[in-house]
Amino acid sequence: MMDLYAHFSHSLSQHPARHYVLALSGGVDSRVMLELLARYRSQHGILISAVHVHHGLSANADQWAEQCQAWCDVLAVPLRVERVNLDTTQGDSIEQLAREARYTALAGYIDQHSCLLLGQHSDDQLETFLLALKRGSGPKGLASMPRSAVFGQGRLLRPLLTVARSDIEAFAAQQQLAWVEDESNLDTRYERNFLRHEVTPLLTQRWPSIRQAVQRSAELCAEQESVLAELLADALLQAVQADGSLAIESLTRHSAAVRRQLLRAWLDRHGVNMPSRIQTDIIWDEVAQAEQDANPKLKLGLHHIRRFNRRLYCVGLQADVSAWSRQIKPDQVLDLPDDIGQLVLRVAPGGNLRIPAEPEHLRVIFEPQGLSACPVGRAGSRKLKKLFQEYQIPSWQRRRIPILMYQQQVVAVAGLFVERDFSGTDAELLWQQ
């Protein structure tokens, strides 16, 4: 049996950090890693902790969290249990939703001095490679999981990525370790489980070295993707605008193949899972090249791809706040919904608006439908819809800009203008986004 601790210790020594955070699911992989990490701490005196993400998908989820806590207590490893809720109405698979929620939760525990430790092994890598192959992925997808990568404000490391599951289980048996078994891992309706139980045993029986071969192929694909990124860096720099949007005109100068690669690189910057060939073609044909008066969009996971003023935008999914309304009081902070920020009507001489005689009738809304205003310096009133167009506000942002109202009149639109009838020097409207 291989010396698993020596392998683990060597991996961490190549990626030193002040604080190692273990993603502890309670399965055999992370359970073994907990034991190895505790031993590494005793030899090197480094700071360690663990995080258990509680998805609530299983009736046994509370028991798993309690078991992880018990193991950590024995080893004096601080544990945080992070509970997440999955929105199963989005249409994405449970596997994908759980994975995204898990990584989002873990990112909150990683700073520039931390390294997240994940328990994936060579069998996981083989399954990931086969899933990418099934999807028809290019080099980036076939690169599968890297041993080390930037994650959140710090890094992540998979110390056991080249170790077989059988070696991990043999170590657990030798050390008489207990672990939890997720009953869903036996459900072959899930693609990864189907590969694990029905496909990879046949492959490894026929070709015992297939795990190592797949790892080499994944590393070669990652290297090719890195070369592509280096060669296209200047083209991407020219296409990406200061606000993070992508200039459509810059893309038209390139071949379809280069254009697809630039789109993928741009989406990767926004944290979007790599699109398929069909999806990149839809982005170009049906979003970028839509009729001039159209308002096209394409949903990709937790994002929408939108177009405005001959640019492509990657927009996170947004809640509908058009029905939201709250009173605002001078000099008091008003928290806006859906992470839109905070608003303050600050009373200060030299401001640009007048506080009306009955300020208790001031309120903030987001619905511009049917409202009109005359900005200071203008001659006549116009519908807010037309004013938003003049101010070059993309359509998806027009119901996310705070509108200050006095009774039924527009007083100001945050960040854009003050209504002429409320011009003065009493106060100013400050929007902290």
Side-chain angles (χ1 to χ4, degrees):
M1 186 177 70
M2 72 176 299
D3 188 340
L4 201 60
Y5 177 72
H7 180 92
F8 177 85
S9 180
H10 178 69
S11 295
L12 265 61
S13 68
Q14 291 184 314
H15 300 86
R18 294 185 190 175
H19 181 197
Y20 291 101
V21 180
L22 173 64
L24 181 63
S25 68
V28 63
D29 317 319
S30 63
R31 176 67 182 95
V32 164
M33 287 258 286
L34 177 64
E35 204 73 20
L36 296 173
L37 185 60
R39 190 189 304 182
Y40 190 82
R41 176 189 58 186
S42 67
Q43 291 190 358
H44 299 275
I46 44 90
L47 180 65
I48 67 172
S49 63
V51 179
H52 175 80
V53 179
H54 186 305
H55 297 98
L57 294 174
S58 169
N60 301 312
D62 289 337
Q63 181 182 344
W64 297 341
E66 292 169 2
Q67 187 62 72
C68 288
Q69 185 67 67
W71 292 326
C72 286
D73 288 345
V74 169
L75 295 170
V77 176
L79 174 71
R80 295 293 298 272
V81 176
E82 186 76 17
R83 295 176 181 269
V84 298
N85 296 311
L86 304 184
D87 182 3
T88 57
T89 64
Q90 295 179 17
D92 297 317
S93 71
I94 293 292
E95 293 170 286
Q96 180 178 340
L97 290 172
R99 182 171 56 253
E100 290 174 350
R102 181 164 60 251
Y103 280 112
T104 298
L106 292 170
Y109 293 90
I110 304 301
D111 61 22
Q112 63 269 32
H113 305 299
S114 306
C115 181
L116 175 68
L117 300 181
L118 300 173
Q120 286 102 346
H121 44 69
S122 63
D123 294 74
D124 293 321
Q125 185 76 311
L126 174 56
E127 294 160 9
T128 301
F129 187 90
L130 291 174
L131 286 171
L133 192 64
K134 188 269 298 184
R135 290 191 298 266
S137 299
K140 188 172 184 63
L142 293 173
S144 303
M145 297 181 291
R147 298 190 194 191
S148 175
V150 173
F151 180 75
Q153 299 181 50
R155 296 194 67 81
L156 67 76
L157 176 65
R158 297 179 173 93
L160 306 182
L161 191 60
T162 59
V163 178
R165 179 187 288 113
S166 58
D167 288 324
I168 294 172
E169 292 175 344
F171 178 88
Q174 182 191 58
Q175 299 295 317
Q176 298 183 328
L177 302 179
W179 62 87
V180 301
E181 292 284 0
D182 186 340
E183 67 278 1
S184 69
N185 287 338
L186 299 176
D187 190 345
T188 55
R189 291 176 300 176
Y190 296 115
E191 291 185 332
R192 187 174 288 273
N193 290 343
F194 171 73
L195 289 174
R196 182 173 304 164
H197 298 294
E198 304 290 341
V199 178
T200 55
L202 294 176
L203 294 177
T204 54
Q205 182 181 2
R206 176 77 181 197
W207 299 296
S209 62
I210 192 170
R211 298 184 191 89
Q212 293 86 348
V214 163
Q215 182 62 34
R216 286 196 301 272
S217 292
E219 291 173 355
L220 286 171
C221 287
E223 183 178 283
Q224 291 173 17
E225 187 66 20
S226 177
V227 170
L228 279 173
E230 184 177 338
L231 293 175
L232 293 179
D234 288 342
L236 184 64
L237 183 64
Q238 294 173 16
V240 175
Q241 306 303 295
D243 62 356
S245 63
L246 196 63
I248 294 173
E249 182 62 31
S250 294
L251 298 182
T252 60
R253 303 169 190 161
H254 300 285
S255 67
V258 170
R259 189 165 60 235
R260 283 191 289 269
Q261 190 65 22
L262 290 172
L263 281 169
R264 293 188 188 102
W266 173 66
L267 291 171
D268 186 54
R269 285 190 172 194
H270 288 277
V272 179
N273 290 333
M274 280 302 95
S276 66
R277 169 75 172 269
I278 292 175
Q279 288 172 323
T280 56
D281 288 344
I282 291 174
I283 291 173
W284 183 250
D285 296 334
E286 300 182 20
V287 180
Q289 301 298 307
E291 294 294 330
Q292 186 173 352
D293 59 349
N295 186 23
K297 68 177 178 180
L298 172 68
K299 183 177 182 295
L300 284 180
L302 299 178
H303 298 80
H304 279 129
I305 309 304
R306 310 290 299 255
R307 185 195 68 181
F308 182 73
N309 274 1
R310 297 294 296 164
R311 294 183 186 179
L312 292 175
Y313 289 82
C314 184
V315 183
L317 298 186
Q318 301 170 337
D320 181 3
V321 298
S322 58
W324 190 90
S325 177
R326 293 290 187 279
Q327 181 186 15
I328 185 170
K329 298 179 180 180
D331 284 331
Q332 290 190 12
V333 175
L334 177 64
D335 291 320
L336 302 173
D338 200 37
D339 295 325
I340 294 176
Q342 295 179 320
L343 204 63
V344 178
L345 181 59
R346 188 176 71 178
V347 178
N352 59 355
L353 64 81
R354 171 179 60 84
I355 296 180
E358 298 178 334
E360 64 271 17
H361 294 300
L362 288 168
R363 73 185 195 282
V364 176
I365 66 172
F366 288 95
E367 177 54 77
Q369 182 68 32
L371 298 178
S372 298
C374 178
V376 172
R378 300 286 289 267
S381 293
R382 300 202 71 185
K383 295 288 187 183
L384 287 194
K385 177 181 178 180
K386 295 294 184 182
L387 290 172
F388 282 152
Q389 291 174 351
E390 290 183 23
Y391 281 96
Q392 299 291 295
I393 304 300
S395 60
W396 60 90
Q397 293 180 6
R398 294 173 189 173
R399 281 179 167 78
R400 296 180 68 82
I401 298 178
I403 303 170
L404 180 61
M405 301 289 294
Y406 178 66
Q407 298 176 346
Q408 303 304 313
Q409 297 175 276
V410 175
V411 176
V413 176
L416 294 183
F417 63 82
V418 172
E419 219 286 342
R420 181 182 59 187
D421 292 344
F422 291 90
S423 177
T425 59
D426 297 339
E428 59 182 337
L429 188 64
L430 303 177
W431 181 16
Q432 181 64 45
Q433 300 183 59

